[in-house]
């Protein structure tokens, strides 16, 4: 074949690849924030009832899930976490990883504007992530970016991250959880942090109009948002409800268009109300019981195993969320297919009271023991769950005293690694390394909040973090899950479904399994 | 004429007062032997039978984890009334004792004690309760502590003004002249005269303290589950108010009845001892 | 009188200062501060210490207190650590809501309770009196939030109506404002009306037994005239002092009602401040509550002192 044909072939191939990439990119873009609805109409004001109120709207310094849910509407990261937990390029248009895995090059989207009016450039991205990863700034997201050595902005639309160690998870840590891209030097002004509660400075489809504590949070459509035609609604108002009874009443009387119930069975009261529908979505959360090894009784693995063998997860789930969920083994329900060890292979899942009693006796407690179980104020499902667990453990001779404490106190115990025997309600994490690493990897590299200190588990977690190949990682995390189920530093019980109540006029609302309000971007109002 | 009216007329008591005595007797039974009235367990969980309306099997219905509400409300009588009675007793002893000494002795002790008590008085009762239990955490002990602190000033003031008034009476001077020691006079002569005032205050404050205890329980700052307590049951019930209003109905009625009974008793005592 | 006022003022200021100190110390003594809450399950030690420095929590406690007192004396209550808004603004906004509820309740309760009490007093011993007495006692015994819950159930199931949940000031939307206040005010008014009725009845029965009443009626003055011109006037001062006492209770006691009906009042501000460990808000709001209580207590004591010299402290 002569050079001319080769040249044409090359150009054709190049064009074909470009076209494929473009279509993939376009296809991926079309899936950002869920599926688009061609019949969508613009306009209208959407009223959302919320049982949780964000303490503040600062995506850099506030770790609470209640905050993340709403700030995802105003702030965006380089990537978007889709419903299956994968990182899809958002503010990054495309990216490439170097062969040695130690540097990532991101090409940025053009024409993206901040709520302040300025155009986004690489300098802004560099500033945003530099600020986030510097622990002197006090961001809860700093830890996730500890492998980043430096960030460069060689030109206006390119950003390069240089890593000190391979990190297959980098894209997923650059999503919406913490931070987001904000204008360069934003935090240089003294009142910058608290001003975020009055004015938003992100690139997201909604910008902040008003935030009144204990009252309402209002977002309005960002007219210069970079995705054409979005968002559909003109305004979103979050009204904070003091309890689910108020939300049920509000939904019944059509004062709200949308609401997520923290306790799914509360929504049952709306089952027969005309004009509203209930949507059930498997979620990424998990309700668990933690067993800290610093506790004198729980130090012995046999005691922990005995407890695991006495707990009937189905019964606990029925009591606390009326069965609106899925019993899990060692992986969040929304990630079971992709990452979960098949339930049949997970040890210590089914109640076996005889074996439990024997283990207790072997561990030196033939006549049972007394232990305190901690629950948290404001987490209603824990009350019913605690009572049920106490009932179940009594059958193997363990007397449970329930102690209810405030969230602030619980967090302090958690951070100082004195958790003891407690309920836990884990925030969502789309990747097993993000889910497990800090929690279970032994010190000093991990936080090991439950003082488990297991060498083999730590080794597996280290490897899983660096590895990028899906199949290899799957094998690593399968083995990790087996060890976790054997040694019981935690009992993952169930993932509660997200129960969303929607009025008929709300269309195309896709509930994201994290519970964050991504779905409001492509939702529209029929009248 | 009904039997009740006859009985009332005969004993010289009004129908309201008779009702109050009947309630008192009923509550006494519930406190001492709740198992006789409600043999079912207040703690037995049964998720399959959650949120059932009142029926023959469950006179008051069931709550959100299937526990029998009748048993819970009956057994809670001892918990709730006991908590309030105990807290007020502690408050009466501490506050009353302090007030007695302060009123009788006067001087710096009086000044300091009155200032300390003033600090407590600056907080409206429920805010003080919220601050104390919110800071120390929920639970029966902290609740008792909070209630005892909140009502200490009332006992202090009444004991103090009583002691002050008594200390100026001639019999005290006479006792001094006879050579009795101050402490002896205070304890043997003045205290017995102050005691009725403190007692009256106890009875008058009881319904108020009951309301505060219920309110704190309702805010989630009360006793830990699964112990039944009227305020806690109300707190659980508020989430199901539309489908299971009975969870909220009964504890409220019992609170009303017990406060009512004590209030009438308080009025009777007030009338006996002259105006308060 | 002036000496009395001055000494009361001095001791009140001292009480206010002491209670501020107590609140300051207690809040910091309790585990779990704002840093712990902000970082949640995701924090690390470096971030925690950075945040602690940002909020000034790493300095010795007496330094923090001195700084706060200095600020307060200049009229600055600081800023909320979560919201960034000025505490004085937050407190003012919340207070207006609570005040609106308190005043509406006061109005309704007076309109219902005082006439009931007067009626019961005049018709002492009759069936009407007995019925009113039962109402009084029941109203005083019923937990306020329970009444609220029952009203909510009743309104929802019988009338198919529920209040809006987003509070609107009357200047913005009067209809919504009234709708959201109806149930809470009714619940509180039941208790208050019963209290007033009870108190007024007692006062009336006592007054009506007095000599001058019988003398006036014997002289030929109509009972109605005697009641309204003389008796009522005499019970006015005790009534007003009583209302003052109840007002403090209401101002403080709306916490539960605010929680139930989602009203952004002072009680809820304090409650959420304590739970979120937002120290400036809690300190500022409590200082405000204490100040109000002191003022009302002072006025009530003055009035009491006027009526009954024996009760002067």
């Amino acid at each position: 074949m002569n050079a001319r044909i080769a040249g044409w072939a090359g150009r054709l191939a190049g064009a074909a690849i470009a076209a494929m990439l473009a279509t993939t990119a376009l296809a991926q873009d079309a899936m950002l924030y869920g599926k688009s609805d061609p019949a969508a109409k613009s306009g209208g004001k959407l009223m959302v009832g919320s049982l949780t109120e964000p303490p503040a709207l600062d995506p850099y310094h506030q770790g609470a899930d209640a905050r993340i849910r709403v700030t995802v509407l105003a702030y965006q990261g380089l990537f978007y976490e889709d419903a299956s937990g994968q990182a899809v390029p958002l503010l990054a248009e495309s990216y490439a990883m170097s062969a040695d895995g130690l540097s990532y090059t991101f090409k940025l989207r053009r024409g993206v504007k901040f709520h302040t009016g300025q155009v986004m450039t690489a300098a802004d991205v560099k500033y945003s992530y530099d600020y986030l990863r510097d622990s002197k700034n006090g961001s809860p997201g700093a830890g996730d970016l500890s492998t980043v050595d430096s960030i460069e902005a060689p030109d206006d639309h390119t950003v390069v991250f240089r890593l000190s160690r391979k990190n297959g998870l980098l894209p997923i840590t650059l999503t919406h959880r913490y931070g987001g891209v904000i204008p360069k030097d934003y935090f240089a002004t003294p009142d910058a942090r608290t001003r975020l509660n009055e004015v938003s400075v992100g690139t997201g489809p909604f910008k902040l109009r008003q935030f009144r504590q204990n009252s309402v949070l209002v977002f309005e459509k960002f007219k210069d948002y970079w995705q054409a035609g979005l968002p559909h609604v003109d305004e979103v108002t979050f009204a904070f409800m003091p309890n689910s009874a108020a939300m049920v009443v509000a939904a019944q009387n059509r004062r709200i268009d949308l609401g997520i119930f923290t306790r799914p069975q509360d929504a049952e009261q709306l089952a027969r109300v005309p004009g509203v529908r209930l949507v059930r979505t498997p979620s990424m959360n998990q309700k668990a019981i933690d067993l800290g090894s610093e506790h004198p009784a729980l130090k012995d693995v046999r005691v922990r195993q005995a407890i695991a063998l006495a707990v009937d997860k189905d019964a606990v789930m029925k009591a606390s969320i009326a069965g609106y969920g899925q019993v899990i083994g060692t992986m969040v329900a929304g990630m079971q297919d992709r990452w979960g060890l098949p339930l049949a292979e997970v040890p210590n899942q089914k109640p076996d009271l005889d074996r439990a009693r024997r283990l207790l006796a072997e561990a030196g407690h033939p006549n049972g023991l007394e232990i305190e179980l901690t629950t948290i104020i404001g987490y209603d499902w824990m009350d019913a769950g605690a009572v049920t667990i106490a009932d179940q453990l009594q059958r193997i001779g363990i007397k449970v005293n329930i102690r209810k404490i405030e969230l602030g106190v619980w967090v302090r115990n958690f951070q100082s690694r004195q958790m003891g025997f407690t309920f836990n309600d884990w925030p969502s994490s789309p990747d097993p390394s993000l889910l497990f690493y800090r929690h279970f990897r032994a010190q000093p590299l991990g936080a090991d909040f439950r003082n488990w200190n297991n060498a083999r588990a730590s080794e597996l977690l280290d490897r899983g973090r660096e590895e990028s190949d899906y199949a290899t990682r799957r094998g690593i995390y399968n083995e990790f899950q087996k060890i976790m189920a054997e040694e019981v530093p935690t009992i993952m019980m169930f993932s509660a479904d997200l129960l969303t109540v929607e009025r008929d006029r709300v269309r195309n609302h896709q509930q994201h399994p994290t519970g964050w309000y991504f779905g409001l971007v492509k939702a529209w109002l029929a009248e | 004429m009904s039997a009740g009216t006859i009985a009332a007329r005969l004993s010289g008591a009004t129908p309201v007062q008779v009702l109050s005595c009947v309630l008192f007797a009923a509550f006494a039974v519930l406190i001492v032997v709740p198992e006789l009235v409600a043999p079912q367990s207040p703690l037995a969980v049964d998720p399959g039978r959650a949120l059932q309306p009142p029926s023959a099997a469950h006179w008051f219905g069931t709550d959100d984890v299937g526990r029998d509400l009748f048993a819970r409300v009956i057994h809670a009588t001892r918990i709730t009334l006991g908590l309030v009675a105990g807290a007020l007793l502690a408050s009466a002893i501490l506050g009353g004792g302090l007030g007695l000494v302060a009123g009788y002795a006067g001087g710096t002790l009086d000044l300091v004690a009155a200032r300390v008590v003033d600090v407590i008085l600056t907080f409206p009762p429920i805010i003080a309760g919220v601050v104390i239990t919110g800071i120390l955490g929920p639970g029966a002990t902290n609740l008792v502590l909070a209630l005892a602190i909140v009502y200490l000033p009332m006992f202090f003031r009444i004991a103090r003004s009583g002691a002050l008034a008594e200390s100026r009476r001639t019999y005290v001077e006479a006792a001094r002249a006879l050579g009795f020691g101050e402490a002896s006079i205070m304890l043997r002569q003045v205290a017995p005269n102050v005691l009725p005032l403190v007692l009256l205050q106890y009875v008058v404050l009881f319904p108020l303290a009951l309301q505060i205890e219920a309110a704190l329980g309702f805010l989630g700052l009360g006793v830990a589950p699964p112990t039944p307590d009227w305020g806690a049951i109300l707190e659980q019930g508020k989430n199901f108010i539309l489908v299971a209003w009975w969870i909220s109905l009964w504890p409220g009625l019992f609170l009303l009845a017990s406060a009512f009974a004590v209030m009438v008793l308080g009025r009777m005592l007030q009338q006996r001892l002259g105006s308060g | 009188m002036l000496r009395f006022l001055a000494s009361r003022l001095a001791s009140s200021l001292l009480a206010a200062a002491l209670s501020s100190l107590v609140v300051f110390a207690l809040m910091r003594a309790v585990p779990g501060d704002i840093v712990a809450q902000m970082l949640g399950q995701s924090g690390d030690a470096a971030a925690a210490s950075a945040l602690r420095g940002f909020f000034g929590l790493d300095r010795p406690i007496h330094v923090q207190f001195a700084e706060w007192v200095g600020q307060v004396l200049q009229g600055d209550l600081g800023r909320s650590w979560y919201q960034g808004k000025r505490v004085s603004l937050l407190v003012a906004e919340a207070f207006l809501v609570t005040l609106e509820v308190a005043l509406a309740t006061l109005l309704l309760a007076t309109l219902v309770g005082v006439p009931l009490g007067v009626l019961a007093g005049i018709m002492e011993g009759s069936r009407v009196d007995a019925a009113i007495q039962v109402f009084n006692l029941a109203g005083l015994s019923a937990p306020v939030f329970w009444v609220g819950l029952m009203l909510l159930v009743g309104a929802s199931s019988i009338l198919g109506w529920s209040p809006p949940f987003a509070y609107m000031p009357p200047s913005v939307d009067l209809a919504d404002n009234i709708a959201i206040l109806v149930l809470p005010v009714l619940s509180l008014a039941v208790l208050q009306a019963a209290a007033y009725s009870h108190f007024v009845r007692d006062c009336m029965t006592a007054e009506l037994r007095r000599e001058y009443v019988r003398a006036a009626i014997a002289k030929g003055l109509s009972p109605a005239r005697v009641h309204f011109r003389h008796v009522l006037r005499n019970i006015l001062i005790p009534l007003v002092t009583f209302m003052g006492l109840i007002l403090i209770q209401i101002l403080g006691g709306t916490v539960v009602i605010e929680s139930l009906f989602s009203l952004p009042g002072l009680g809820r501000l304090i409650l959420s401040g304590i739970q979120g460990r937002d120290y400036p808000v809690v300190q500022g709001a409590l200082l405000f509550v204490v100040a109000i209580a002191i003022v009302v207590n002072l006025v009530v004591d003055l009035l009491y002192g006027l009526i009954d010299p024996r009760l002067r402290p």
Side-chain angles (χ1 to χ4, degrees), chain B residues 99-121:
Chain B
L100 174 69
V101 173
Y104 185 77
T108 0
L109 179 65
D110 182 24
L111 221 62
V112 170
R115 295 292 79 78
V116 168
V117 160
D118 271 352
V119 169
I120 304 176
L121 264 182

Side-chain angles (χ1 to χ4, degrees), chain A residues 55-56 61-63 135-136 138 140 178 194 197 211-213 239 241-242 249 253 255-256 406 408 411 414-415 424 438-439, chain C residues 31-32 36-44 46-47 50-51 54 82-84 160 162-165 167 259 262 268 272 277:
Chain A
H61 303 100
Q62 253 292 344
S135 50
K136 278 202 296 299
Y178 302 116
T194 49
N197 295 317
F211 179 27
R212 282 212 314 260
Q213 222 182 26
M241 326 244 90
V249 169
N253 295 316
R255 288 195 191 271
I256 55 172
E406 255 193 43
V411 169
F414 171 84
Q415 288 178 351
N424 200 342
R438 284 188 74 237
H439 281 267
Chain C
Q37 295 219 4
M38 287 181 91
L39 297 180
Q41 291 200 45
S42 41
D44 56 58
L51 274 178
F54 179 75
Y82 277 116
Q83 286 253 300
S162 76
F165 41 76
Y167 175 80
S259 172
S262 168
R268 252 184 106 193
S272 60
R277 306 286 195 264

Side-chain angles (χ1 to χ4, degrees), chain C residues 250-264:
Chain C
I250 295 285
L251 279 180
T254 50
V255 178
V256 193
I257 284 289
E258 283 167 17
S259 172
L260 182 62
F261 289 105
S262 168
L263 297 170

Side-chain angles (χ1 to χ4, degrees), chain A residues 399-417:
Chain A
K399 180 173 187 306
V400 171
N401 298 321
I402 301 172
R403 191 173 74 118
K404 205 163 169 178
I405 61 177
E406 255 193 43
L407 181 61
V409 179
W410 188 91
V411 169
R412 195 212 51 160
N413 293 342
F414 171 84
Q415 288 178 351
S416 51
R417 295 156 64 235

Side-chain angles (χ1 to χ4, degrees), chain B residues 30 33-43 52-63 66-77 228 230 233 246-247 250-251 254:
Chain B
L30 292 183
V33 279
E35 319 79 42
L36 276 186
V37 180
Q40 319 90 309
S41 163
L43 302 173
Q52 287 186 348
S55 63
H58 300 282
W59 292 355
F60 284 179
T62 59
D63 68 6
R67 291 178 289 207
D68 179 57
L69 235 86
F70 180 68
R72 278 184 77 71
V73 173
I74 298 294
H75 280 81
T77 315
W230 290 334
I233 300 175
W246 50 89
I247 305 179
W250 306 113
F254 273 66

Side-chain angles (χ1 to χ4, degrees), chain B residues 160-225:
Chain B
R160 180 181 173 278
S161 68
L164 210 61
E166 292 294 312
S167 68
R168 297 199 184 123
R169 297 268 289 272
T170 37
Y171 76 86
V172 169
E173 287 197 35
R176 266 200 210 112
L178 284 171
F180 283 99
E182 294 291 338
S184 162
I185 299 176
M186 188 183 78
L187 288 172
R188 298 252 182 89
Q189 321 269 15
V190 180
N193 288 326
V194 171
L195 208 58
L197 293 171
V198 173
L199 183 67
L200 180 64
Q201 190 75 312
Y202 183 95
V203 176
V204 166
L205 287 176
F206 195 94
L208 302 177
L210 194 58
Q211 302 262 11
I212 303 281
E213 195 271 355
L216 289 175
F218 184 73
L219 290 173
L221 300 169
V223 297

